[in-house]
Amino acid sequence: MMKLKHHKVEEGVYKYVDDNTYEWRHHHWRGSFEPHEYDKAEALLSKLNSRPGRAFTHYRIVSG
């Protein structure tokens, strides 16, 4: 079993490929948190998702 090292908040966009298929394109890392700080990663994700004018930008949490 692999030990969890961090949670990162990633910024990117979904790019249209074909036939209603989209592909994730990474842009930036917005924050990195320790394994026990998942709630902080969720709070940052919520804050970023509530910003006005972010129509094409998406955020997600990547754990690894």
Side-chain angles (χ1 to χ4, degrees):
M1 183 177 198
M2 194 169 91
K3 186 176 179 180
L4 187 64
K5 296 178 184 175
H6 60 259
H7 304 290
K8 289 185 176 182
V9 177
E10 180 181 23
E11 176 183 309
V13 297
Y14 285 100
K15 183 178 178 183
Y16 179 76
V17 180
D18 61 2
D19 298 327
N20 290 332
T21 304
Y22 293 84
E23 184 177 276
W24 177 260
R25 296 293 174 130
H26 169 82
H27 281 202
H28 303 283
W29 293 109
R30 289 299 194 169
S32 183
F33 303 92
E34 296 295 320
H36 63 279
E37 297 180 315
Y38 188 80
D39 57 334
K40 289 183 180 180
E42 281 188 320
L44 177 58
L45 183 69
S46 176
K47 179 182 174 183
L48 292 170
N49 280 328
S50 66
R51 293 186 319 167
R54 54 158 228 87
F56 299 105
T57 305
H58 298 277
Y59 302 94
R60 64 183 185 178
I61 295 176
V62 178
S63 298

